[in-house]
Amino acid sequence: MAQWEAGGGDVRILPSFPFKHHENQHNKLTAARLVPMERRALTTTQNVLCAAVTSVVGSVLARPVVNLQHFYFLSLAPHEFARRQKFRRVFETIRTANWMHGATPFSWQVSSTFGILSTASILADTIQNNFGDKTRNGIGTGFIAGALTGVGLTVFQHPRDVLRATAERETARNFKGAGDVFLTALQEKPAILLGLYRGVGVSALAATIQYGVIFSWYYASRDVTARTSMLTFLLSTYLSVVVGHALQYPVHYVRQDMMVLNATRRFGSLSLKQYFLEARKTIGVSVVFNGFFKSKPVINAAPLAMSIAMFDMSARWLGNR
């Protein structure tokens, strides 16, 4: 309905009802978009089920992503590769690359991912149910759950890492792998196996920092970023994995560099304080990030980030049913 009004040579249409600007409704929608979504906490069985499914699916989907490192030659300087040679090598790489190949066995990758997801989720729910608000996780919950998960993962993986490093070392005897080293030591010198946990403290510290940062970031931002968009949530999860890896990298680098320096010193060993003072005077403290990008953190962060994102989606779907 409308009313006509004439006057002063003008004719205009007036609404027969007052116009209401829905500002309050707009503010409510904006606020709802920023408020974390509440969801029912999963049981231990449901957490384990979600972790098992997503660890397998995530490991399968992440293999081709990690193998994108075959295209690193595209970043070479122009004079090192002619344009035609690059195009030819791109198609050759697509055709010949084994896209399901991984640096670690598939079963080992699935088991470690399953352990990370299930342990962190169960610990976080336990902490929230006993010490915190039951509907909203935060930075403290995520850090404690992630740190304990990192320690447990280190205890589980450290012996294999030591055996694998021994197998890859250039010696007079060629080992076929970590299993060959273990069987050889068990047959010839079993006492040497007592040193499998040597250096586990440093590895546990690095894992505490890495997974504490990853899961504190995840639990603090998962609801807001997931409500904004799935792409935002995935990018946030991916960035948390990259940052966690970057913060734990100096721990391993300093330990390795100190071992090399102390092996060449004739009198006394270099302490941690002396190491940083000497590095500050000579080449700077930033030396602790030397070789960081050689570990290919941009690509290697994809498997864990994809698994965490899929675990969150499956847990959110299961919790809201």
Side-chain angles (χ1 to χ4, degrees):
M1 297 292 294
Q3 298 175 353
W4 292 85
E5 179 180 303
D10 296 331
V11 178
R12 54 181 177 170
I13 300 177
L14 297 178
S16 59
F17 54 88
F19 175 74
K20 295 182 179 180
H21 180 63
H22 297 283
E23 182 176 358
N24 293 334
Q25 185 68 17
H26 174 73
N27 293 337
K28 289 180 181 179
L29 292 174
T30 304
R33 190 178 293 112
L34 298 177
V35 172
M37 289 185 289
E38 297 183 3
R39 61 179 177 182
R40 180 173 58 86
L42 301 182
T43 63
T44 302
T45 304
Q46 290 173 330
N47 274 318
V48 171
L49 179 62
C50 288
V53 174
T54 55
S55 60
V56 174
V57 177
S59 298
V60 171
L61 296 179
R63 288 281 171 129
V65 177
V66 173
N67 281 303
L68 290 176
Q69 61 184 328
H70 292 304
F71 294 104
Y72 267 34
F73 65 87
L74 294 174
S75 62
L76 296 177
H79 66 275
E80 297 185 27
F81 261 107
R83 182 173 298 180
R84 290 184 179 180
Q85 290 178 331
K86 282 190 176 182
F87 279 117
R88 190 182 304 115
R89 188 166 176 181
V90 166
F91 291 110
E92 183 181 350
T93 302
I94 295 174
R95 182 177 57 86
T96 59
N98 184 4
W99 294 102
M100 297 306 297
H101 175 74
T104 58
F106 181 75
S107 58
W108 188 266
Q109 182 178 350
V110 171
S111 61
S112 61
T113 305
F114 169 75
I116 293 170
L117 297 178
S118 59
T119 305
S121 60
I122 293 173
L123 286 175
D125 290 343
T126 303
I127 294 171
Q128 285 299 309
N129 292 333
N130 293 294
F131 303 104
D133 183 54
K134 297 182 180 181
T135 60
R136 186 175 302 177
N137 294 317
I139 297 177
T141 299
F143 187 84
I144 295 173
L148 294 177
T149 300
V151 173
L153 183 67
T154 301
V155 173
F156 177 68
Q157 285 189 339
H158 190 76
R160 177 181 177 273
D161 293 337
V162 173
L163 293 173
R164 187 177 61 178
T166 304
E168 294 175 353
R169 185 181 303 170
E170 294 183 1
T171 58
R173 182 169 183 171
N174 294 324
F175 294 102
K176 297 179 180 179
D180 188 21
V181 175
F182 178 79
L183 292 177
T184 303
L186 192 63
Q187 294 173 358
E188 299 181 1
K189 196 175 181 180
I192 200 173
L193 295 177
L194 297 176
L196 288 178
Y197 279 99
R198 183 176 299 172
V200 69
V202 177
S203 299
L205 174 61
T208 298
I209 297 173
Q210 180 179 6
Y211 293 101
V213 169
I214 290 173
F215 284 100
S216 61
W217 188 317
Y218 163 68
Y219 279 104
S221 63
R222 61 175 182 173
D223 293 327
V224 175
T225 53
R227 185 177 287 275
T228 302
S229 70
M230 186 52 60
L231 180 60
T232 303
F233 170 69
L234 183 59
L235 290 176
S236 176
T237 306
Y238 173 78
L239 187 60
S240 70
V241 178
V242 174
V243 172
H245 178 71
L247 293 179
Q248 64 86 33
Y249 182 83
V251 177
H252 289 293
Y253 179 86
V254 170
R255 177 199 174 195
Q256 184 67 26
D257 201 24
M258 287 184 64
M259 290 178 60
V260 173
L261 291 175
N262 287 329
T264 59
R265 289 173 66 92
R266 298 182 61 184
F267 303 102
S269 59
L270 192 68
S271 66
L272 184 63
K273 182 179 179 180
Q274 292 173 337
Y275 173 84
F276 278 106
L277 289 175
E278 186 172 335
R280 185 180 179 183
K281 292 179 182 178
T282 54
I283 53 180
V285 181
S286 61
V287 67
V288 297
F289 286 101
N290 275 1
F292 173 70
F293 287 102
K294 289 183 179 179
S295 62
K296 302 174 182 177
V298 176
I299 285 183
N300 289 331
L304 183 57
M306 293 175 64
S307 298
I308 292 176
M310 285 189 291
F311 174 81
D312 182 85
M313 289 187 288
S314 60
R316 199 180 297 275
W317 174 80
L318 189 60
N320 290 330
R321 289 184 65 85

